[in-house]
Amino acid sequence: MRHERGRLTRISNTCHINRGKLTESGIASMKVPQLIILFYAMCLNMTESEFEKMMKDIYHTIVDKSAEYDFLLFSNDKKTTDETENA
């Protein structure tokens, strides 16, 4: 527990975000630039194996979620979507 508390302090110090804001609700209310800085600070305070595991988890999450959606639905080209549905 003490090790994790020290890591949280290092992350907070690196990204200059108050440790009290590093809660679920605090992170949910952050703007994108703050989240990018927080992510960067987290990466700087990880071991190589932790970083590699996190990157694999992110990759698999993106691949798994992308398989659930038809991205042609988000396309501005309605003709392409209609042609795909009629095929």
Side-chain angles (χ1 to χ4, degrees):
M1 180 73 168
R2 184 175 171 91
H3 174 69
E4 292 301 319
R5 188 172 288 170
R7 182 180 289 189
L8 186 61
T9 299
R10 287 194 311 272
I11 291 170
S12 173
N13 291 343
T14 302
C15 63
H16 303 291
I17 294 174
N18 186 324
R19 225 174 77 170
K21 292 195 178 219
L22 298 179
T23 62
E24 188 174 327
S25 61
I27 291 172
S29 66
M30 287 183 184
K31 295 180 180 173
V32 173
Q34 289 176 307
L35 290 172
I36 292 169
I37 292 168
L38 177 59
F39 180 73
Y40 180 71
M42 289 170 46
C43 292
L44 289 177
N45 287 284
M46 289 181 178
T47 64
E48 183 178 355
S49 61
E50 289 171 329
F51 179 78
E52 287 176 3
K53 182 184 180 318
M54 180 192 67
M55 294 309 291
K56 286 178 185 174
D57 289 345
I58 290 171
Y59 169 79
H60 290 296
T61 300
I62 291 170
V63 169
D64 292 346
K65 291 298 176 186
S66 67
E68 293 179 19
Y69 298 100
D70 178 7
F71 287 102
L72 291 176
L73 296 175
F74 299 109
S75 172
N76 289 331
D77 187 8
K78 183 67 175 156
K79 185 176 180 182
T80 303
T81 305
D82 292 339
E83 289 173 357
T84 304
E85 290 174 356
N86 294 329

